[in-house]
Amino acid sequence: MADRDYLSEAATAAAFSPATARGLSPPLGWKERLRAGLAGAGASLWFVAGLGLLYALRVPLRLCEHLAAVTGFLNSLTPKFYVALTGTSSLISGLIFIFEWWYFHKHGTSFIEQVSINHLRPLMGGTESSIAEPGSPSNRENETGRQNLSECKVWRNPLNLFRGAEYRRYTWVTGKEPLTYYDMNLSAQDHQTFFTCDTDFLRPSDTGRDTNVLVYIKRRLAMCARKLGRIREAVKIMRDLMKEFPPLTMLNIHENLLESLLELQAYADVQAVLAKYDDISLPKSAAICYTAALLKTRTVSDKFSPETASRRGLSTAEISAVEAIHRAVEFNPHVPKYLLEMKSLILPPEHILKRGDSEAVAYAFFHLQHWKRIEGALNLLQCTWEGTFRMIPYPLEKGHLFYPYPSCTETADRELLPTFHHVSVYPKKELPFFIHFTAGLCSSTAMIALLTHQFPEIVGVFAKAVSMISRTCIEYL
């Protein structure tokens, strides 16, 4: 009883506490901290050496005389000059800020940082040794990249059955292209690979090609029957395919079967399919995880109330449903916003990236109706999905039930999804430093220009005082 109460309180706290997940870096080891400290000390030494050299050469260079001439020149300038100077600075920094903002939202990184890392850093001797120590950050990044390589594999969308006429009709109505060239190129490669064999010059290879053609045609017939509303016929064809060709699980025919059974509201059959394919040894998908969550949500959603659950705690069935939702959200955190219609749907691509925004679009496009059909399911999802992020505060480094969230999804999704779609990014990225810097520079210079225009005398006195103080300090040195 005590364990049940504890689980109820923990699940309630996780379900109703909003949280945001940030991709924070892990704490540095002592070697990294020492290296960073030495680098900072080296920069400080160079700065001190520069000041010492400047002090030693102050007399030969006649710095005081030149400073006095500059101060006299600045004092002779009118306020209009300062208004023009600060106004121009504000305009230029504002344009840079707008470009940085646009570049960040399009590419997910800062343009100035990219230029600094790729071009300026090598010129300043900032290249790193190609041989890294074991356990160093570069090695950890390489290991993470190898681990994420399989997770960032692009898969064919199991539910894609849109034809060229439908895509063209979408283009006529909206004036936008629904598919990217990268997605269409992958489809062409799929067809070429699927309908040919490595040993085409040998006649026995025709057997393998004929099997591929047979499975492809039967599956497309099943999907056509599903689209025409002949759902029982589609279910029969899919079951026959899965029995006759069990090794072809990579085609994900079971995901087509799940969707068709949900349309029939044959929830017991859906549970039977999940019992076979929602296995720890088999690859997961949004369709599997969210369908499992939907079935558990179905048993409690019609009577669920956030106020009542907060007051008395969650029941065992509600805890099971919340945990299933958290599991699904951890696998693909982009889906809930589409199911809750917080983001608008588009036509799904022909290829998807598991755990990515493209998979979320494809799943929600075909399964939103099934969630709406079950009373209270979307309400329970809305109340609980954000609680997932409490369990995975560092999703790029450590997961709860799955591997860490791959960092390559954003790049692949931008290739798969059309440019007019706002790609969902997880975890949410912090704004780069240069966006804050250019925004602050634009605002401050604009404010100085306004003050100089409105109060030229006061600003002139202030500018002269600053120049005199600077001159006095340098003369003292």
Side-chain angles (χ1 to χ4, degrees):
M1 185 68 179
D3 293 341
R4 176 178 173 180
D5 292 340
Y6 171 76
L7 286 173
S8 176
E9 294 175 2
T12 303
F16 300 106
S17 298
T20 55
R22 303 290 184 184
L24 301 178
S25 300
L28 297 176
W30 68 270
K31 291 184 178 180
E32 288 78 11
R33 290 198 299 269
L34 178 60
R35 188 180 292 109
L38 292 176
S44 301
L45 290 175
W46 278 108
F47 179 74
V48 172
L51 289 180
L53 181 63
L54 187 64
Y55 178 78
L57 298 177
R58 69 187 188 283
V59 176
L61 295 178
R62 298 187 298 177
L63 294 180
C64 294
E65 298 178 11
H66 291 305
L67 181 62
V70 171
T71 303
F73 171 75
L74 294 177
N75 291 336
S76 64
L77 296 175
T78 62
K80 292 183 179 181
F81 172 81
Y82 291 104
V83 172
L85 177 63
T86 52
T88 304
S89 301
S90 177
L91 176 62
I92 295 175
S93 56
L95 294 176
I96 296 175
F97 166 72
I98 294 173
F99 176 77
E100 275 284 297
W101 183 273
W102 169 83
Y103 192 88
F104 173 73
H105 279 274
K106 184 174 179 61
H107 301 283
T109 186
S110 167
F111 175 77
I112 300 178
E113 289 181 2
Q114 287 292 101
V115 172
S116 301
I117 294 174
N118 297 334
H119 301 285
L120 298 182
R121 187 177 178 184
L123 294 177
M124 299 174 65
T127 55
E128 304 219 354
S129 175
S130 58
I131 303 176
E133 299 179 3
S136 65
S138 59
N139 271 356
R140 286 199 297 268
E141 290 175 1
N142 292 336
E143 292 171 3
T144 303
R146 287 193 295 269
Q147 177 182 349
N148 290 341
L149 184 61
S150 61
E151 296 184 356
C152 291
K153 176 184 176 181
V154 175
W155 297 76
R156 191 166 178 81
N157 182 6
L159 295 173
N160 68 315
L161 192 62
F162 289 102
R163 308 310 326 141
E166 294 169 300
Y167 287 125
R168 188 177 297 277
R169 189 182 309 121
Y170 180 89
T171 304
W172 285 342
V173 174
T174 64
K176 300 173 181 177
E177 293 290 341
L179 296 178
T180 64
Y181 287 107
Y182 177 68
D183 193 14
M184 292 187 289
N185 185 44
L186 288 177
S187 297
Q189 294 179 14
D190 288 342
H191 291 157
Q192 183 178 3
T193 303
F194 200 68
F195 295 117
T196 58
C197 296
D198 294 335
T199 56
D200 265 343
F201 60 92
L202 299 176
R203 297 302 300 174
S205 68
D206 294 346
T207 303
R209 180 167 58 253
D210 291 344
T211 301
N212 292 341
V213 173
L214 175 64
V215 173
Y216 180 86
I217 292 176
K218 282 191 173 183
R219 179 181 182 174
R220 301 298 280 188
L221 288 174
M223 295 171 68
C224 289
R226 164 65 185 94
K227 196 169 184 181
L228 292 173
R230 295 150 53 182
I231 305 173
R232 296 189 183 279
E233 179 183 346
V235 169
K236 183 180 184 306
I237 297 176
M238 293 174 193
R239 289 188 184 278
D240 292 343
L241 274 176
M242 294 168 63
K243 290 179 182 179
E244 189 175 357
F245 304 100
L248 298 180
T249 55
M250 75 288 296
L251 297 178
N252 297 322
I253 302 177
H254 57 278
E255 295 191 17
N256 301 96
L257 180 60
L258 284 174
E259 197 278 329
S260 299
L261 292 174
L262 286 173
E263 182 64 23
L264 290 174
Q265 302 185 40
Y267 298 113
D269 293 337
V270 173
Q271 185 62 58
V273 175
L274 286 177
K276 181 178 181 181
Y277 289 96
D278 192 6
D279 185 81
I280 191 172
S281 62
L282 297 176
K284 299 295 181 292
S285 66
I288 290 178
C289 294
Y290 278 89
T291 301
L294 179 61
L295 292 188
K296 293 189 177 181
T297 299
R298 173 177 167 269
T299 61
V300 298
S301 59
D302 56 336
K303 300 178 181 178
F304 177 79
S305 171
E307 295 77 13
T308 305
S310 299
R311 184 173 61 255
R312 65 167 171 79
L314 298 176
S315 65
T316 303
E318 289 172 340
I319 290 176
S320 178
V322 170
E323 289 177 347
I325 290 176
H326 287 176
R327 172 178 179 261
V329 174
E330 181 184 353
F331 182 83
N332 193 316
H334 310 284
V335 172
K337 288 189 176 181
Y338 294 106
L339 293 180
L340 298 173
E341 299 182 86
M342 300 167 63
K343 287 191 67 177
S344 58
L345 280 170
I346 60 173
L347 287 181
E350 294 198 337
H351 292 81
I352 60 174
L353 181 69
K354 289 190 175 182
R355 307 186 74 177
D357 191 32
S358 52
E359 184 191 35
V361 170
Y363 171 80
F365 187 89
F366 294 101
H367 286 259
L368 177 58
Q369 57 180 334
H370 306 315
W371 282 81
K372 286 184 175 181
R373 184 180 295 125
I374 297 177
E375 181 182 358
L378 291 176
N379 177 45
L380 180 57
L381 176 67
Q382 183 177 15
C383 294
T384 58
W385 74 278
E386 288 184 326
T388 309
F389 304 130
R390 291 192 51 165
M391 299 180 294
I392 44 174
Y394 308 104
L396 298 179
E397 302 162 17
K398 184 179 181 181
H400 180 62
L401 297 175
F402 299 100
Y403 285 113
Y405 189 79
S407 58
C408 59
T409 56
E410 180 186 358
T411 303
D413 279 334
R414 291 186 187 277
E415 295 287 337
L416 291 172
L417 295 170
T419 55
F420 62 84
H421 174 72
H422 181 68
V423 176
S424 178
V425 179
Y426 175 81
K428 186 178 180 181
K429 291 185 176 181
E430 297 285 352
L431 288 177
F433 163 76
F434 285 104
I435 288 184
H436 294 284
F437 176 76
T438 53
L441 182 62
C442 176
S443 303
S444 59
T445 51
M447 183 62 66
I448 294 174
L450 180 62
L451 292 176
T452 305
H453 178 71
Q454 294 292 332
F455 311 101
E457 293 82 6
I458 299 177
V459 176
V461 172
F462 178 76
K464 290 180 181 179
V466 171
S467 63
M468 290 298 296
I469 293 174
S470 302
R471 177 184 176 184
T472 302
C473 293
I474 293 180
E475 287 179 351
Y476 177 78
L477 292 176

